[in-house]
Amino acid sequence: MTKTALISGITGQDGAYLAEFLLKKGYIVHGIKRRSSLFNTDRIDHLYQDPHVPQRNLILHYGDLIDSTNLIRTIQQVQPDEIYNLAAMSHVAVSFETPEYTANADGIGTLRILEAIRILGLEKKTRFYQASTSELYGLAQETPQKETTPFYPRSPYAVAKLYGYWITVNYREAYGIYACNGILFNHESPIRGETFVTRKITRALTRIKLGLQDCLYLGNLDAKRDWGHARDYMEMQWLMLQQEQAEDYVIATGTQHSVRDFVNTAAEELGMRLRWHGQGINEVGALEEVHAAPQSRIIIRVDSRYFRPTEVQALCGDASKAREKLGWVPKTNFRELVSEMVREDLKSAERDELVKKHGFGVYDYHE
């Protein structure tokens, strides 16, 4: 029988990749998207089906994790076999500025979906996946981090996700709902949000390369993360809901790189030679240029406004459990990930360069 899945946050990076994956598996996919006066479906436009098309297998619903009646109505209407809760206020730095909303959407939002499953009597039918995060580990108590590593959240986002994690476990144990957490370490792609540091780097460097931008401003260059490809991680989420018993899993590559490493790798992909000078807030990245005489131009600076009140210095995941129990291993390594992101952003920058060359205005993006 054809399975039906409901994805909250379907217009985000993860939702788009997961929707594409499930459609290829033959699922009927329903997605929840927030109402906006602007179209915000760019990532899933290639999957979109007009409402007038008979027997559609992708259907969108307006909704929000802070609206419980809407969630109950949507879940009642869809009667999903699987729910993937990917929606969230997902920007760690912004969560310090919007802590109450973050708690409401990311923490209580998870509860609202689980409670809807219980109220509607879908405990035996619907399987629930909660997108947890490596930010739960925060001030890491051991390296690498695995399922049994103690949590130490360091941001309103991480604290809200901590509630989401434990309420998922609680509803699994209290009501027998098939509910599990995927503890995802950082996952990127060419459709990553433009204000996240990895995409900010690849976009800025391609634009600097073509003379469309002068400088890239970053925060903590020494922060280290375990970066994987979002496309690989969506397969793991699906695998988690296909098991006989619900369990929580770490999803990670097991390798770690600093923000500075990411910048250097992206620059190398563009044939740009960088030299770093100074320390701390005064550190700069200079582009080595060879003209009549060798000279350098500063294209990367550190800006303290991008420092967080409480930093997470280093995260690296151990996905041994996923490998041993589910046979899952990431397919894309760090350099391949950066290369793909650079290639796609270079195409966009080249388009803007062409538009500007012909006398038309080009929008200057500001994160």
Side-chain angles (χ1 to χ4, degrees):
M1 294 179 62
T2 301
K3 285 187 177 181
T4 298
L6 176 64
I7 304 173
S8 70
I10 193 170
T11 59
Q13 169 190 249
D14 293 7
Y17 278 118
L18 180 62
E20 187 171 38
F21 177 85
L22 293 177
L23 287 170
K24 289 178 180 177
K25 288 282 184 183
Y27 278 65
I28 295 173
V29 176
H30 293 256
I32 298 175
K33 66 185 288 290
R34 285 180 295 176
R35 167 70 181 133
S36 172
S37 59
L38 300 173
F39 284 112
N40 60 349
T41 57
D42 291 5
R43 296 183 177 101
I44 57 171
D45 281 346
H46 66 294
L47 305 173
Y48 179 76
Q49 294 175 300
D50 190 278
H52 303 96
V53 173
Q55 297 181 328
R56 287 182 296 153
N57 55 6
L58 177 66
I59 302 101
L60 300 180
H61 307 261
Y62 286 117
D64 198 305
L65 289 185
I66 65 173
D67 185 344
S68 57
T69 56
N70 165 268
L71 292 172
I72 293 171
R73 185 178 64 251
T74 301
I75 294 170
Q76 182 180 43
Q77 177 185 345
V78 173
Q79 294 285 304
D81 299 293
E82 299 170 1
I83 295 177
Y84 297 86
N85 182 30
L86 310 186
M89 202 309 290
S90 58
H91 201 288
V92 176
V94 174
S95 76
F96 285 98
E97 300 182 32
T98 59
E100 183 179 340
Y101 175 78
T102 303
N104 195 355
D106 298 11
I108 306 302
T110 307
L111 169 65
R112 292 185 180 106
I113 296 177
L114 288 164
E115 186 66 359
I117 293 171
R118 190 180 72 85
I119 289 171
L120 295 170
L122 297 174
E123 297 97 331
K124 302 305 179 186
K125 171 181 174 60
T126 302
R127 296 188 170 195
F128 175 77
Y129 170 85
Q130 167 65 7
S132 286
T133 169
S134 60
E135 291 287 329
L136 293 175
Y137 297 118
L139 189 61
Q141 303 299 290
E142 65 177 352
T143 300
Q145 295 88 49
K146 52 184 180 290
E147 290 81 4
T148 56
T149 301
F151 298 137
Y152 196 138
R154 297 270 283 173
S155 66
Y157 166 75
V159 173
K161 281 290 191 176
L162 184 66
Y163 179 89
Y165 176 93
W166 283 117
I167 201 65
T168 298
V169 173
N170 180 252
Y171 270 62
R172 180 171 72 214
E173 296 177 350
Y175 303 114
I177 296 174
Y178 190 110
C180 54
N181 290 282
I183 307 174
L184 279 72
F185 280 66
N186 291 65
H187 45 292
E188 319 297 320
S189 76
I191 58 172
R192 181 62 145 151
E194 294 171 351
T195 60
F196 288 85
V197 68
T198 52
R199 187 78 193 287
K200 180 179 174 180
I201 291 167
T202 57
R203 287 188 67 259
L205 288 181
T206 55
R207 297 176 72 81
I208 290 170
K209 172 81 173 178
L210 298 179
L212 298 172
Q213 184 172 327
D214 296 324
C215 192
L216 165 63
Y217 294 90
L218 295 170
N220 183 5
L221 294 170
D222 295 314
K224 295 180 179 179
R225 293 293 184 271
D226 182 334
W227 277 301
H229 199 300
R231 181 176 52 232
D232 295 344
Y233 287 20
M234 296 311 104
E235 179 184 6
M236 173 61 176
Q237 294 179 358
W238 174 77
L239 281 171
M240 289 173 61
L241 293 194
Q242 312 313 308
Q243 308 308 305
E244 186 175 339
Q245 292 188 334
E247 295 185 59
D248 307 317
Y249 291 87
V250 162
I251 310 178
T253 70
T255 61
Q256 188 183 68
H257 296 86
S258 68
V259 173
R260 189 184 291 98
D261 292 337
F262 199 103
V263 174
N264 286 333
T265 305
E268 289 172 11
E269 289 293 325
L270 290 164
M272 302 166 73
R273 295 173 53 191
L274 285 179
R275 295 290 183 272
W276 297 92
H277 308 283
Q279 293 182 338
I281 193 69
N282 297 314
E283 186 171 6
V284 297
L287 176 62
E288 299 294 334
E289 298 177 304
V290 179
H291 298 294
Q295 58 180 353
S296 62
R297 174 166 60 99
I298 294 174
I299 62 168
I300 300 168
R301 294 184 182 274
V302 175
D303 188 336
S304 60
R305 80 183 70 193
Y306 297 120
F307 293 158
R308 300 172 186 171
T310 42
E311 278 286 352
V312 174
Q313 196 61 31
L315 294 172
C316 184
D318 178 0
S320 297
K321 180 181 176 182
R323 183 175 61 251
E324 293 165 5
K325 286 199 168 188
L326 307 180
W328 179 85
V329 291
K331 299 180 178 69
T332 312
N333 64 38
F334 177 73
R335 182 166 287 278
E336 291 168 341
L337 167 66
V338 177
S339 178
E340 183 182 344
M341 293 178 68
V342 167
R343 285 197 308 272
E344 293 304 312
D345 277 329
L346 184 59
K347 292 177 185 177
S348 297
E350 288 172 339
R351 179 197 59 206
D352 285 352
E353 181 191 34
L354 181 63
V355 168
K356 189 173 183 180
K357 180 180 178 181
H358 286 274
F360 296 96
V362 175
Y363 181 72
D364 290 324
Y365 295 87
H366 301 283
E367 71 282 348

mmCIF file of all heavy atoms in Angstrom, residues 1 16 19 38 47-48 57 86 137-138 148 182 204 256 260 265 341 357 361:
data_model
loop_
_atom_site.group_PDB
_atom_site.id
_atom_site.type_symbol
_atom_site.label_atom_id
_atom_site.label_comp_id
_atom_site.label_asym_id
_atom_site.label_seq_id
_atom_site.Cartn_x
_atom_site.Cartn_y
_atom_site.Cartn_z
ATOM 1 N N MET A 1 0.834 -1.200 0.000
ATOM 2 C CA MET A 1 0.000 0.000 0.000
ATOM 3 C C MET A 1 0.867 1.247 0.000
ATOM 4 O O MET A 1 1.954 1.267 0.582
ATOM 5 C CB MET A 1 -0.920 0.013 1.234
ATOM 6 C CG MET A 1 -1.978 -1.083 1.253
ATOM 7 S SD MET A 1 -2.991 -1.018 2.737
ATOM 8 C CE MET A 1 -3.740 0.603 2.539
ATOM 9 N N ALA A 16 12.873 19.896 1.791
ATOM 10 C CA ALA A 16 12.925 19.759 0.336
ATOM 11 C C ALA A 16 13.604 18.458 -0.076
ATOM 12 O O ALA A 16 13.104 17.722 -0.932
ATOM 13 C CB ALA A 16 13.653 20.951 -0.268
ATOM 14 N N ALA A 19 11.317 15.487 0.971
ATOM 15 C CA ALA A 19 10.154 15.348 0.091
ATOM 16 C C ALA A 19 10.553 14.679 -1.220
ATOM 17 O O ALA A 19 9.866 13.768 -1.709
ATOM 18 C CB ALA A 19 9.538 16.718 -0.173
ATOM 19 N N LEU A 38 5.035 36.549 0.443
ATOM 20 C CA LEU A 38 5.966 36.245 -0.639
ATOM 21 C C LEU A 38 5.974 34.739 -0.876
ATOM 22 O O LEU A 38 5.753 33.957 0.051
ATOM 23 C CB LEU A 38 7.384 36.706 -0.288
ATOM 24 C CG LEU A 38 7.581 38.193 -0.013
ATOM 25 C CD1 LEU A 38 9.004 38.444 0.480
ATOM 26 C CD2 LEU A 38 7.309 39.018 -1.264
ATOM 27 N N LEU A 47 9.240 20.189 -7.490
ATOM 28 C CA LEU A 47 8.377 19.078 -7.093
ATOM 29 C C LEU A 47 6.899 19.458 -7.130
ATOM 30 O O LEU A 47 6.023 18.585 -7.059
ATOM 31 C CB LEU A 47 8.721 18.620 -5.670
ATOM 32 C CG LEU A 47 10.174 18.226 -5.382
ATOM 33 C CD1 LEU A 47 10.345 17.959 -3.888
ATOM 34 C CD2 LEU A 47 10.574 17.005 -6.191
ATOM 35 N N TYR A 48 6.639 20.743 -7.237
ATOM 36 C CA TYR A 48 5.280 21.274 -7.077
ATOM 37 C C TYR A 48 4.311 20.705 -8.122
ATOM 38 O O TYR A 48 4.666 20.534 -9.289
ATOM 39 C CB TYR A 48 5.297 22.794 -7.180
ATOM 40 C CG TYR A 48 3.940 23.440 -7.044
ATOM 41 C CD1 TYR A 48 3.341 23.562 -5.797
ATOM 42 C CD2 TYR A 48 3.252 23.911 -8.162
ATOM 43 C CE1 TYR A 48 2.086 24.153 -5.668
ATOM 44 C CE2 TYR A 48 2.006 24.497 -8.045
ATOM 45 C CZ TYR A 48 1.426 24.613 -6.787
ATOM 46 O OH TYR A 48 0.196 25.192 -6.664
ATOM 47 N N ASN A 57 0.602 13.699 -5.793
ATOM 48 C CA ASN A 57 1.310 13.032 -4.695
ATOM 49 C C ASN A 57 2.126 14.011 -3.863
ATOM 50 O O ASN A 57 2.918 13.602 -3.013
ATOM 51 C CB ASN A 57 2.203 11.897 -5.212
ATOM 52 C CG ASN A 57 3.181 12.366 -6.272
ATOM 53 O OD1 ASN A 57 3.295 13.565 -6.559
ATOM 54 N ND2 ASN A 57 3.888 11.428 -6.873
ATOM 55 N N LEU A 86 10.323 18.671 10.921
ATOM 56 C CA LEU A 86 11.563 19.354 10.547
ATOM 57 C C LEU A 86 11.456 20.865 10.728
ATOM 58 O O LEU A 86 12.457 21.576 10.607
ATOM 59 C CB LEU A 86 11.911 19.048 9.085
ATOM 60 C CG LEU A 86 11.912 17.575 8.666
ATOM 61 C CD1 LEU A 86 12.411 17.440 7.228
ATOM 62 C CD2 LEU A 86 12.762 16.733 9.608
ATOM 63 N N TYR A 137 24.450 19.077 22.622
ATOM 64 C CA TYR A 137 25.677 18.737 23.348
ATOM 65 C C TYR A 137 26.421 19.987 23.807
ATOM 66 O O TYR A 137 27.125 19.953 24.809
ATOM 67 C CB TYR A 137 26.582 17.875 22.465
ATOM 68 C CG TYR A 137 25.976 16.545 22.098
ATOM 69 C CD1 TYR A 137 25.721 16.226 20.771
ATOM 70 C CD2 TYR A 137 25.653 15.615 23.077
ATOM 71 C CE1 TYR A 137 25.155 14.996 20.423
ATOM 72 C CE2 TYR A 137 25.086 14.391 22.743
ATOM 73 C CZ TYR A 137 24.840 14.084 21.417
ATOM 74 O OH TYR A 137 24.281 12.880 21.090
ATOM 75 N N GLY A 138 26.284 21.094 23.045
ATOM 76 C CA GLY A 138 26.812 22.384 23.458
ATOM 77 C C GLY A 138 28.235 22.357 23.967
ATOM 78 O O GLY A 138 29.190 22.163 23.215
ATOM 79 N N THR A 148 24.684 8.452 24.039
ATOM 80 C CA THR A 148 24.716 8.449 25.505
ATOM 81 C C THR A 148 25.480 9.623 26.103
ATOM 82 O O THR A 148 25.571 9.746 27.326
ATOM 83 C CB THR A 148 25.368 7.140 26.000
ATOM 84 O OG1 THR A 148 26.675 7.002 25.405
ATOM 85 C CG2 THR A 148 24.509 5.931 25.624
ATOM 86 N N GLY A 182 16.327 12.048 15.716
ATOM 87 C CA GLY A 182 17.569 12.014 14.951
ATOM 88 C C GLY A 182 18.417 13.181 15.398
ATOM 89 O O GLY A 182 18.029 14.345 15.200
ATOM 90 N N ALA A 204 29.606 34.460 -0.594
ATOM 91 C CA ALA A 204 30.463 35.647 -0.554
ATOM 92 C C ALA A 204 31.723 35.452 -1.384
ATOM 93 O O ALA A 204 32.123 36.349 -2.146
ATOM 94 C CB ALA A 204 30.821 35.981 0.886
ATOM 95 N N GLN A 256 35.781 16.474 11.599
ATOM 96 C CA GLN A 256 35.608 17.810 12.155
ATOM 97 C C GLN A 256 36.480 18.815 11.425
ATOM 98 O O GLN A 256 37.630 18.541 11.103
ATOM 99 C CB GLN A 256 35.979 17.769 13.641
ATOM 100 C CG GLN A 256 35.684 19.003 14.439
ATOM 101 C CD GLN A 256 36.173 18.837 15.874
ATOM 102 O OE1 GLN A 256 37.375 18.767 16.133
ATOM 103 N NE2 GLN A 256 35.242 18.755 16.813
ATOM 104 N N ARG A 260 37.436 28.290 9.626
ATOM 105 C CA ARG A 260 38.592 28.695 8.808
ATOM 106 C C ARG A 260 38.896 27.634 7.742
ATOM 107 O O ARG A 260 39.204 27.957 6.590
ATOM 108 C CB ARG A 260 39.817 28.937 9.685
ATOM 109 C CG ARG A 260 41.001 29.571 8.940
ATOM 110 C CD ARG A 260 42.223 29.693 9.821
ATOM 111 N NE ARG A 260 42.041 30.688 10.872
ATOM 112 C CZ ARG A 260 41.695 30.412 12.124
ATOM 113 N NH1 ARG A 260 41.499 29.149 12.502
ATOM 114 N NH2 ARG A 260 41.574 31.365 13.011
ATOM 115 N N THR A 265 38.935 25.845 2.094
ATOM 116 C CA THR A 265 38.535 24.846 1.099
ATOM 117 C C THR A 265 37.704 25.487 -0.012
ATOM 118 O O THR A 265 37.898 25.191 -1.195
ATOM 119 C CB THR A 265 37.753 23.707 1.766
ATOM 120 O OG1 THR A 265 38.536 23.147 2.826
ATOM 121 C CG2 THR A 265 37.427 22.609 0.767
ATOM 122 N N MET A 341 28.672 23.131 -3.169
ATOM 123 C CA MET A 341 28.096 24.412 -2.773
ATOM 124 C C MET A 341 28.724 25.564 -3.547
ATOM 125 O O MET A 341 28.029 26.489 -3.989
ATOM 126 C CB MET A 341 28.272 24.611 -1.268
ATOM 127 C CG MET A 341 27.463 23.648 -0.415
ATOM 128 S SD MET A 341 27.734 23.851 1.361
ATOM 129 C CE MET A 341 26.977 25.461 1.636
ATOM 130 N N LYS A 357 26.632 43.538 -16.067
ATOM 131 C CA LYS A 357 27.406 43.914 -17.253
ATOM 132 C C LYS A 357 26.521 44.584 -18.296
ATOM 133 O O LYS A 357 26.968 45.461 -19.045
ATOM 134 C CB LYS A 357 28.074 42.666 -17.835
ATOM 135 C CG LYS A 357 28.922 42.921 -19.074
ATOM 136 C CD LYS A 357 29.546 41.621 -19.570
ATOM 137 C CE LYS A 357 30.358 41.848 -20.838
ATOM 138 N NZ LYS A 357 30.947 40.571 -21.332
ATOM 139 N N GLY A 361 20.385 46.516 -12.579
ATOM 140 C CA GLY A 361 20.756 46.508 -11.173
ATOM 141 C C GLY A 361 20.839 45.094 -10.613
ATOM 142 O O GLY A 361 20.086 44.210 -11.009
#
